[in-house]
Amino acid sequence: MYVLGINAYHGDAAAALIRDGKLIAAAEEERFNRFKHSAGFPAHAIKYCLEAAGIGPEELDHVGISRDPSAHLHKKILFAATRVASEGIFNQIKDRLGNAAKVRDLKDELARVFGVSKKLLRARFHNVEHHRAHLASCFYVSPFERAALLSIDGFGDFISTMWALGEGNAIEVLGQVEYPHSTGIVYTATTQFLGFPHYGDEGKVMGLAPYGQPRFINEFRDIIRTEENGHFRLNLNYFRHHAEGVEMTWDEGSPAIGRIFSDEYAHLFGPPRTPGEQLSDRERDIAASLQLRLEEVGFHVLNHLHEKTGLTDLGLAGGVAYNSVMNGKILLNTPFKRLFIQPAAGDSGTALGVCYQIYNGLLKHERAEVMTGAYTGPEFTNAEIENALLENKFERYSDEELTKRAAQDIAAGLVVGWFQGRMEFGPRALGNRSIVVDPRRAEMKDVLNDRIKKREPFRPFAPSILEERVGDYFEQTHPAPTMLMVYQIREERRQEIPAVTHVDGSGRLQTVSREVNDRYYQLISDFDALTGVPVVLNTSFNENEPIVCTPREAIECFRKTRMDVLYLGNYAVRRE
Ligand SMILES: [Fe+2]
C-alpha cells in the first residue's frame, strides 16, 4: 500500500511517500526548485518520491495534505479574522479552511503535475489537520510505544499548540491553544521587530540571545501570559494579526509575512531596528528576554503534559521545535527523560505526518518505521557523479582511503565539501550535504563566513560528535542525531573546540552513530585518530540558497565559493 503525504500552499512545501508503513522518500520542494522555504505545490518533491519508489501516480492508494489546499484562500488570509467579527466570521473561515476540504483541487493538481487524466488516479484523498499531522510525524516514527506529544508552532488550521497522548497506533488529543494565541507568533513578531524580516529568520534571534541579558523578561511575561492547564494567552495589544490581519504571500518562491507586531512594541522597546543596522545591547537583550520567555512557556506546557500523562517519553514537532536551545533544556526543566524530535519538525515534516496519520491513525495498521536519521532524499551513484565531474580534474578513492584523506584535509585546515548518499529531510545537513572543517581552529568561523556562508558573525557553527563520546565533551548525553538540541560544552573542553563553542559555552550538536550514518561516522573517527578530537564542525552545503541536492549543484557551489576540496561519493576535486 502506497501513501503520499503533502505539505502545500504553505512555507516549506514538501512530499513524503510510504510503502506498507515503511518510509520510502521525503523531501522539501526548495531543494528542487531552489527557492528557500518554497511554498506553493511541491510538484518536484512529489515526482521525486514516486520515482524513488518506482511507481506512477495511478499506483497510489492514499493521498493526503496537511491542511486545506484551497490556495486562493491561504495566499491572502492566513491571519485575516477581524476582532469585530470575532466568533462568527472566525468560524466561517475555520470551516472553509478546515472542514470544507477542497479535496477535488488536490486531485486536479496531482493529475496536472503528472499530465494524466484524473480518472487514472484511484487513490483516496484526505485532509489531515495541520497539528494532527505534526503530532503523527513525531510519534508514529518514534521509538516509543507510548509517549506524550507536543506540537507547537505559529499557526496551522487556526491552532498554535496541541498536546496529546500517543499509544500504539492511536493519538488522543488532550489540549490545544487556539488562534490568536501563539508562541511562534511572538517569536516571529519579535524577529521582525529586531530587523530580521525573512521567513525562517527566527534562528538568527535564537543565536543572538546568548549575547544579551534578559532585562525585558517582565515585558515578555506581560506579552505572553501563562494560564492553568498548560494554556497561555497573548496580550493582544502588542499584535496586529488578530485585528487587522497579516498577509502571507508568495509568488513562485519564498513566502513573506507582513508585520505582526503592533505599535505597542515601539512604546515598550523604542523604534524597531532597520534591517542591516548595527546591533546594539537593546536588540541583544530583547532576544535574550524573548528566548527565556519562550522556554518558560514551553516548560509550562510540557510540565502540564507530563502531569496529564505521567509519561517520561516525549515526541516534539512544530516550527517552535526548531528552537534547539529550548529543546536542549527540556530534560533539565521537566520530568521528561527521553525525547524524539522528528528531523523535519517544522511544516515540511507534516507531509510525513500525513502519511502516518492515514496509515496508522486512520487505517489502524501496525507501526512499521522508526526514523533514526533524516536521509530520505535523492542519492546519486558513483557513475552519475563521475558524469557530473567530467570537466574537472578528479581522483577516485576506495571507501577506506576516502574518509582518511578527507580527515587529513580537515585536520590541515582545509574547507571540505562532503556530499554523500541520500539528501537530508529537514533544515539540518547531517553529514550527507555538509561542509566540514576543523573545530579546533577558532578562525574557521571567519573563514567559512568570509568564503562561503556570509552569515551574521554572531551566529554559531555546529559540532558533529561520535555518539559514544558525547559525555566527554557535553554536560548532557541524551542523543541528538538530528541536530535539534543545544547542550553546554564542558568548561574544560571549550578551548579545545572553539569554532563550535557559542559565546555562552553551548553547542548545537549532532551525535553520530555508525548505524545511522556509517561513512560520516568513519570520517569523524579518522579525524579523531589523527587529532584526538572526535568532533568536526558541520555546516550545511550551500551558499545563500537551499542546501545542494545534486552533484552538479555541489560542484557549482564548490566553484563559486572558495572551498578547498570537494568529496562527492568516492571522488574528490581540489581547487587548483
Ligand atoms: Fe506547523
Side-chain angles (χ1 to χ4, degrees), residues 325-368:
V325 173
M326 178 186 79
N327 296 347
K329 295 178 184 173
I330 287 175
L331 303 182
L332 303 174
N333 288 278
T334 71
F336 291 107
K337 300 260 181 282
R338 292 196 300 171
L339 184 51
F340 175 79
I341 312 174
Q342 203 263 111
D347 288 337
S348 60
T350 61
L352 184 142
V354 162
C355 291
Y356 286 98
Q357 182 60 24
I358 293 170
Y359 188 77
N360 298 125
L362 185 71
L363 302 173
K364 294 290 165 209
H365 290 292
E366 289 298 303
R367 288 162 61 183

Side-chain angles (χ1 to χ4, degrees), residues 10 130-131 134 153-156 318-319 346-347 350:
H10 195 79
H130 186 84
H131 281 277
H134 272 313
D153 67 11
F155 287 113
D347 288 337
T350 61

Side-chain angles (χ1 to χ4, degrees), residues 208-397:
L208 183 64
Y211 292 90
Q213 297 298 323
R215 70 180 156 109
F216 299 113
I217 187 63
N218 287 331
E219 283 81 347
F220 277 96
R221 285 180 184 145
D222 179 49
I223 290 173
I224 182 166
R225 303 164 182 186
T226 49
E227 297 187 323
E228 283 181 3
N229 296 321
H231 282 260
F232 55 83
R233 291 184 72 75
L234 303 190
N235 181 338
L236 293 171
N237 294 332
Y238 291 100
F239 302 95
R240 296 176 67 238
H241 62 288
H242 59 98
E244 297 156 66
V246 172
E247 278 199 347
M248 181 180 182
T249 52
W250 65 87
D251 293 320
E252 284 306 299
S254 311
I257 299 181
R259 179 164 70 89
I260 301 171
F261 62 88
S262 76
D263 294 342
E264 288 299 313
Y265 254 72
H267 292 149
L268 207 54
F269 300 120
R273 171 178 169 263
T274 308
E277 202 182 310
Q278 185 85 35
L279 285 163
S280 70
D281 281 345
R282 180 191 72 143
E283 281 85 49
R284 296 181 194 106
D285 294 346
I286 290 172
S289 311
L290 167 73
Q291 179 62 33
L292 177 59
R293 187 56 183 152
L294 174 76
E295 292 167 15
E296 288 179 351
V297 176
F299 304 149
H300 163 76
V301 178
L302 286 168
N303 281 318
H304 168 74
L305 176 57
H306 169 76
E307 258 171 50
K308 289 290 276 188
T309 60
L311 298 177
T312 55
D313 288 340
L314 173 67
L316 196 59
V320 175
Y322 283 149
N323 196 294
S324 47
V325 173
M326 178 186 79
N327 296 347
K329 295 178 184 173
I330 287 175
L331 303 182
L332 303 174
N333 288 278
T334 71
F336 291 107
K337 300 260 181 282
R338 292 196 300 171
L339 184 51
F340 175 79
I341 312 174
Q342 203 263 111
D347 288 337
S348 60
T350 61
L352 184 142
V354 162
C355 291
Y356 286 98
Q357 182 60 24
I358 293 170
Y359 188 77
N360 298 125
L362 185 71
L363 302 173
K364 294 290 165 209
H365 290 292
E366 289 298 303
R367 288 162 61 183
E369 177 77 38
V370 175
M371 202 174 171
T372 56
Y375 312 104
T376 59
E379 65 182 329
F380 300 86
T381 63
N382 275 321
E384 286 170 308
I385 290 169
E386 191 169 325
N387 202 29
L389 275 172
L390 284 179
E391 288 162 31
N392 300 270
K393 196 170 152 234
F394 59 83
E395 288 159 282
R396 183 174 179 147
Y397 298 118

Side-chain angles (χ1 to χ4, degrees), residues 118-253:
K118 234 165 61 167
K119 286 185 208 125
L120 203 74
L121 304 177
R122 58 177 183 84
R124 262 180 71 195
F125 285 75
H126 309 261
N127 284 79
V128 175
E129 192 190 337
H130 186 84
H131 281 277
R132 287 179 188 260
H134 272 313
L135 292 172
S137 81
C138 72
F139 179 57
Y140 292 126
V141 296
S142 79
F144 308 136
E145 175 57 25
R146 293 181 82 208
L149 309 173
L150 174 65
S151 169
I152 179 164
D153 67 11
F155 287 113
D157 290 334
F158 285 92
I159 304 294
S160 75
T161 313
M162 188 181 271
W163 53 94
L165 169 69
E167 182 159 17
N169 56 13
I171 292 174
E172 180 197 351
V173 174
L174 301 174
Q176 64 187 28
V177 176
E178 294 175 10
Y179 179 97
H181 306 289
S182 159
T183 53
I185 279 293
V186 175
Y187 218 97
T188 302
T190 311
T191 298
Q192 293 177 336
F193 181 81
L194 293 176
F196 301 103
H198 299 299
Y199 194 87
D201 273 351
E202 291 83 354
K204 296 183 183 177
V205 173
M206 185 182 79
L208 183 64
Y211 292 90
Q213 297 298 323
R215 70 180 156 109
F216 299 113
I217 187 63
N218 287 331
E219 283 81 347
F220 277 96
R221 285 180 184 145
D222 179 49
I223 290 173
I224 182 166
R225 303 164 182 186
T226 49
E227 297 187 323
E228 283 181 3
N229 296 321
H231 282 260
F232 55 83
R233 291 184 72 75
L234 303 190
N235 181 338
L236 293 171
N237 294 332
Y238 291 100
F239 302 95
R240 296 176 67 238
H241 62 288
H242 59 98
E244 297 156 66
V246 172
E247 278 199 347
M248 181 180 182
T249 52
W250 65 87
D251 293 320
E252 284 306 299

Side-chain angles (χ1 to χ4, degrees), residues 531-553:
T531 64
V533 176
V535 182
V536 295
L537 183 158
N538 170 11
T539 187
S540 53
F541 199 139
N542 55 346
E543 200 183 7
N544 189 18
E545 56 179 343
I547 296 175
V548 298
C549 175
T550 66
R552 279 186 199 285
E553 284 154 10

Side-chain angles (χ1 to χ4, degrees), residues 7 24 31 38 42 75 114 116 136 149 171 218 258 332 341 372 386 435 452 475 484 523:
N7 176 45
I24 301 296
R31 306 294 164 83
S38 178
K75 270 196 161 180
F114 285 95
V116 298
L149 309 173
I171 292 174
N218 287 331
L332 303 174
I341 312 174
T372 56
E386 191 169 325
I435 296 169
I452 302 165
E475 290 178 8
L484 290 172
L523 175 67

